[in-house]
């Protein structure tokens, strides 16, 4: 007989396997061990925002944050790149919709973003 511990979809089972030879009866079905407790979910990270502005800068397409050429407190003009995302092997600047000061940057380089996600806010 051989003993094994098997994990299936997070459930742990201790099984005993009997080698079957000529003239022996089939082995009984293995008993399942009690499932190991699942780890507690990890809370979402705190927002990276320094403040919340009244003007939202949203992603126009889904992609990955490639570069953040601005910092909180920096003044920007309408059309200035606030965040650059990479989508379909292209760098796409996400620009300020109007002039203002960066109040928060809500993403980090490497973050995956969906179209319409708020990337930053301005005052």
């Amino acid at each position: 007989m051989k003993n094994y511990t098997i994990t299936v979809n997070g459930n742990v089972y201790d099984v005993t396997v009997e080698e079957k030879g000529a003239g022996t009866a089939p082995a009984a079905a293995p008993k399942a061990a009690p499932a190991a407790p699942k780890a507690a979910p990890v809370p979402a990270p705190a927002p990276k925002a320094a403040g919340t502005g009244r003007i939202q800068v949203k992603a126009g397409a889904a992609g990955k944050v490639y570069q953040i050429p601005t910092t909180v407190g920096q003044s920007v003009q309408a059309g200035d790149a606030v965040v650059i995302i990479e989508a379909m092997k292209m760098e796409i600047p996400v620009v300020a919709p109007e002039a203002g000061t960066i109040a928060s940057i809500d993403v980090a380089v490497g973050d995956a973003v969906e179209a319409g996600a708020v990337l930053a806010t301005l005052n």
Side-chain angles (χ1 to χ4, degrees):
M1 287 196 166
K2 293 186 179 184
N3 294 322
Y4 296 94
T5 300
I6 300 172
T7 303
V8 179
N9 294 332
N11 295 320
V12 178
Y13 300 95
D14 289 326
V15 293
T16 302
V17 179
E18 183 176 349
E19 294 184 43
K20 188 174 173 184
T24 57
K31 293 182 181 178
K38 292 188 178 184
V42 177
K48 300 173 187 97
T52 304
R54 61 180 178 80
I55 304 163
Q56 295 182 336
V57 179
K58 296 182 179 183
K64 185 187 234 182
V65 177
Y66 177 73
Q67 186 179 27
I68 303 173
T70 57
T71 58
V72 174
Q74 180 179 339
S75 294
V76 293
Q77 298 300 315
D80 287 351
V82 176
V83 176
I84 299 173
I85 61 173
E86 181 181 24
M88 299 183 296
K89 298 185 180 183
M90 295 187 307
E91 295 173 17
I92 303 168
V94 180
V95 299
E98 58 186 80
T101 303
I102 304 288
S104 69
I105 297 176
D106 302 317
V107 293
V109 172
D111 286 354
V113 296
E114 296 294 324
V118 176
L119 306 177
T121 58
L122 306 175
N123 281 326

